[in-house]
Amino acid sequence: MNTEYMTTDNKIAGYSIADIILNVFIVLYPLSIILYAHFVWDATARFGAMFLGGSLVICIINNIRAKGIYHLTGKRRDILMYALVILSLVTMGYFYLEYMNLLVVRIRSTFIPDYIMAVIALYLIVEFTRKTMGWILFGMVSIFWAYAFLGPYLPGILHHPGLDFRGVIQYSVLELGGIFGTITQVIATWVAIFVIWASLVLGFHGTELIMKAAQAIVRKSKHMLAQIAVLASMVLGMFSGSAAGNAAGTGSFTIPLMKRYGIPARIAAGIESVSSSAGQVMPPIMGAAAFLMADFLGMYYFEIVLIGFCPAIIFYICAAVAVYFISRKYLSATPVEEEDEVQQETTSEAYKVGLYDIIPIITSFATLIYLMGVLQMGILLAGFWTIVSFLVPRLIVDLVLRRGRASGFVQFGKGLMSGFSQASNTLAPIGVLGGALGIVVGTLSVTGLGVKISAIMVDTAGDSMILLMILVMIVGILFGMAVGTVATYVLVIILAAPALLHVGISPVCSHFAVFYCAMLSAITPPVAVACVVTAGIAKASFFSVCREAMRIGSPLFILPFVFMTRPELLALSSATPLAIVITLVGMIGITMGLNLPLSGWQGTVKRVIYIALGGIGLFYPIESVAFPCLGIVLVFFIIEMLRMSKGKEATAENV
């Protein structure tokens, strides 16, 4: 039996026990979630123990065989890996079986096996959070634990009575909160079922379909070529909540294509960074945060999705406008005969491929909208039938339209396994992360630290909503350097929601503002994970890519403030259409000022005028002043578009 691992591509060279275990869990892990969505055979917290067990097993095998652990190699590494897998299954199995006893019989009682298992569970969760998410999140958990212990010795507002070892273990594990708390429960159910659906779509060549569709849309104009990045990332963002994943998936195609057609490497990477990062705000997945937001706000998930579409579409329109301005400057110098061979594929061929593949996607989308929008079915059951409505047409497509019965089953099986694999590898780190976040949230609640930090923010900002929102944005970017968007959103909303409510911001606006702030670190240095990926693909300077991304993505920084001054944008009321128009026109004004290819002092004056008019239209409360400014912006936008469309083509020297 070959147990030598190829660390360069994260694949095992031969079949081994680890292969068998991993493949079994890759199938059982998402399959158990799908079945639970339909039958709901246990309490969510109890199912969370099963979910965490599967998450740990997948993370343990993937991390140890790919990276090694504790500098062990060969058989010693394998023995440790199998031991940790068994320990994970035994520990989480213990909490699954003892759930009712812990909840009712032994609540707050001293039972040695409970504490032993709790300590093991905490070690596994924290250690493999460190292995999958890095040292910063591990350090954050450690700091919160230290705060729980050291409360009596801290001065001023940070002082609290303190907790002993037993108290920390109780709130972290044994009270079935902490690692089994709300965050894990939402991830194990609402998040997981839709991540599986999205992964199945991508597993059945969804990414290729999206890219082909984007090419078909923009093929008629070379000036629209750069829009492939915007369109592909927008659609892919509906299914994938990872900024880095989106950037790697679409950027590996779009960035070289944009570079070939004359767009500088730093700008090509910046366009892709912004487009991929904003995929996290695109419904229906919204980077998996939509489900947590629905739980926090006590709203229907579909309401959150409908509200989220408005700002997401506004952003992507502004991004498309910015990219068009850039493409007019650079792409016009590119000879048509240099067109990439990928682009030479005929429209009919692209349509033929897309027609077969898009049927299951349309069917599942229609099912989702009908079940949740019309019938208002529960999230889990709606997710189950959404998956069924994708897989059944997919099987029919493979059997009837594609390859015949035998090869059709093979093709369907490959796609199913690819989707399950992607779902498992996406969900497992999120599951472990949810357990670690449960510890942090538990500490904030038990010690009262969340309320104290909120009070500090209110005292610092006074009655100024703008200053408070700036503080929230800074906190969001700082947290975002350590953890992903979903984790940042959870941490910041717990700290900031009371402060935002104190100054009169509605709960919905507060949550969406924090959510948008949470994703800004993906394009904001020094971390800027999306820019790291795209800069590597483009072979460009990291900080120059960040600069371009922040310029093109300026609406992402502005929208959280718009949510405060134009709350009707998120209200789904009769005032919402007008708010959408106001926000869109104001954002276009700012986009023009930042991205139009202007030079000289006259260009500088134009930029200032456009930004000022857009800003007044967005934030000035008196409509008699805001509306004329927005009207002027709209007129100037039409003039600029006409000027650029009729203007002289750029030359190679200009580029």
Side-chain angles (χ1 to χ4, degrees), residues 193-218:
I193 194 67
F194 282 98
V195 169
I196 293 169
W197 168 57
S199 298
L200 287 170
V201 171
L202 299 180
F204 281 98
H205 311 295
T207 303
E208 292 87 342
L209 173 63
I210 292 166
M211 295 304 299
K212 287 179 181 294
Q215 292 174 48
I217 291 171
V218 303

Side-chain angles (χ1 to χ4, degrees), residues 128 146 182 308 415 517 526 533:
F128 283 92
T182 299
C517 290
V533 175

